[in-house]
Amino acid sequence: MALLTFLARRIARLLISLLIVSMLAFGLLQLAPGTFAGIQAVGGGSTGLANQQTSGNNSALVQAYGENVPIPVQYWNWLSHAVVGDFGPSYKYPQSDVTEIIAQALPVTASLAFFAMVLALAIAIPVGVISAVRRGTWIDNSLMFVSTLGVAIPNYLMAIILVLVFSVGLHALPTGGWTGPQSMIMPVIALGAGMAGVFARYVRSSVLEVLDEEYVVAARARGGTPRAVLLRHVLRSAIMPLVTVAGPAFAGLIAGTLFVEQIFGIPGLGQYFTQAAIGRDMPLMMGCTVVFAAILMAMNVIVDLVYAAIDPRTRAGLGLSHETKRKAAVA
């Protein structure tokens, strides 16, 4: 019951937050200069729904795209359909609904973010542990320098460097697309390299803190080998701060693939969102914004549950401890 109460409370908070995000996003998009109808009229009706309005009649375009009614009415019309999963037809891609576009593109973006996260963790955990164990040595300094360098280079710049080296220079990897393992290597590295640097510094700080704890010192005094002490006592406690940041970081990777998808021509949600922003495709922009926000909020809830599973103190704080359950049963 405590778990269900916690989940119900967090889901209610998530829904309220999504409503606020949608209101803010819709209002801010209205403040942007120009409209989709105006852009298409200036462009001669060359894209999207404007193919059906070749006369260039801007008033007809405005009426067709529903921009001739007050903004609150526009938002209500959008919200009344969005709550049932209908984000409406895309302006730029009229042959598809926004929901269909998101359903096709989100798995691509999620796969890219997932593999980038796996790469980041696979690099960060051993690098952070080695750096902490060898603190103050040239190994520690070298690893932290490389980690800082990875954090300092933006993912779009990393992507360009990888293309110049491996595609233009070595002709070893394709320059773009999402057709197989080879086409995934560079975008995954471009996204995962910076995150690996961030995680490595978290792991190093956590391991250094745990190494000075009394129970670790006592385990060493009892004759435990460095490897056994590290695996049994240090890593479990040191990994919890990483869990805290890994969930939101994964959601951030999903929302932060915009430039990488554009550079490599990956048909993910980031590329669709970028094209929608350029062409003022309001339904597609709103759909992507709500999906990105929902993923970030959902990952925060998942992180709380995972953290509670690892740390008994967190379970008590959330009301999920065995003692809380026992008292509830007695009552």
Side-chain angles (χ1 to χ4, degrees):
M1 290 300 296
L3 177 60
L4 293 177
T5 301
F6 167 76
L7 287 176
R9 186 168 59 248
R10 292 303 300 269
I11 291 174
R13 189 183 307 172
L14 184 150
L15 294 176
I16 294 173
S17 299
L18 279 179
L19 178 63
I20 296 173
V21 167
S22 69
M23 293 174 64
L24 292 175
F26 196 91
L28 291 174
L29 289 175
Q30 297 298 328
L31 296 177
T35 63
F36 182 81
I39 292 173
Q40 296 307 302
V42 171
S46 58
T47 62
L49 291 178
N51 286 325
Q52 305 167 11
Q53 304 285 348
T54 55
S55 64
N57 188 331
N58 188 61
S59 61
L61 289 171
V62 169
Q63 185 174 1
Y65 304 146
E67 297 172 347
N68 59 332
V69 297
I71 293 177
V73 177
Q74 292 183 40
Y75 175 73
W76 174 254
N77 291 337
W78 175 85
L79 181 64
S80 61
H81 292 85
V83 293
V84 293
D86 179 14
F87 293 109
S90 168
Y91 292 169
K92 187 174 178 60
Y93 309 99
Q95 71 279 6
S96 301
D97 287 339
V98 171
T99 305
E100 296 174 353
I101 294 175
I102 293 175
Q104 294 173 2
L106 183 58
V108 176
T109 298
S111 299
L112 176 59
F114 172 77
F115 288 118
M117 177 65 70
V118 171
L119 176 66
L121 293 174
I123 295 173
I125 293 176
V127 166
V129 171
I130 294 172
S131 183
V133 172
R134 302 292 184 180
R135 57 180 164 180
T137 66
W138 68 270
I139 297 177
D140 178 24
N141 295 331
S142 299
L143 292 176
M144 286 300 100
F145 172 77
V146 175
S147 298
T148 303
L149 188 63
V151 175
I153 300 177
N155 55 31
Y156 60 86
L157 181 57
M158 178 68 73
I160 295 173
I161 293 173
L162 291 173
V163 170
L164 291 176
V165 173
F166 292 102
S167 295
V168 178
L170 300 177
H171 302 286
L173 295 172
T175 56
W178 191 255
T179 56
Q182 281 193 326
S183 64
M184 298 168 60
I185 294 175
M186 289 194 294
V188 167
I189 294 176
L191 280 176
M195 196 60 64
V198 174
F199 288 167
R201 299 181 72 84
Y202 269 101
V203 173
R204 180 182 182 275
S205 299
S206 299
V207 172
L208 287 176
E209 183 178 348
V210 175
L211 284 173
D212 295 329
E213 294 287 342
E214 292 183 1
Y215 68 91
V216 176
V217 176
R220 289 191 193 129
R222 289 195 298 267
T225 63
R227 180 187 177 118
V229 171
L230 184 66
L231 294 177
R232 295 178 184 176
H233 302 283
V234 176
L235 282 183
R236 179 170 181 176
S237 297
I239 210 70
M240 285 190 289
L242 182 61
V243 172
T244 305
V245 299
F250 177 70
L253 279 177
I254 293 179
T257 59
L258 304 177
F259 297 112
V260 172
E261 289 184 1
Q262 282 291 109
I263 291 172
F264 291 105
I266 298 173
L269 199 57
Q271 183 172 164
Y272 280 107
F273 181 78
T274 303
Q275 295 299 321
I278 294 173
R280 290 300 306 274
D281 187 343
M282 178 71 71
L284 186 53
M285 282 192 291
M286 285 298 299
C288 292
T289 300
V290 170
V291 168
F292 285 145
I295 292 173
L296 179 59
M297 296 174 191
M299 289 307 301
N300 286 330
V301 176
I302 294 173
V303 166
D304 286 342
L305 294 175
V306 173
Y307 204 78
I310 298 175
D311 189 357
R313 295 169 298 180
T314 306
R315 286 199 296 272
L318 296 175
L320 303 178
S321 64
H322 293 293
E323 182 66 19
T324 302
K325 295 179 181 179
R326 187 188 63 80
K327 290 181 180 179
V330 172

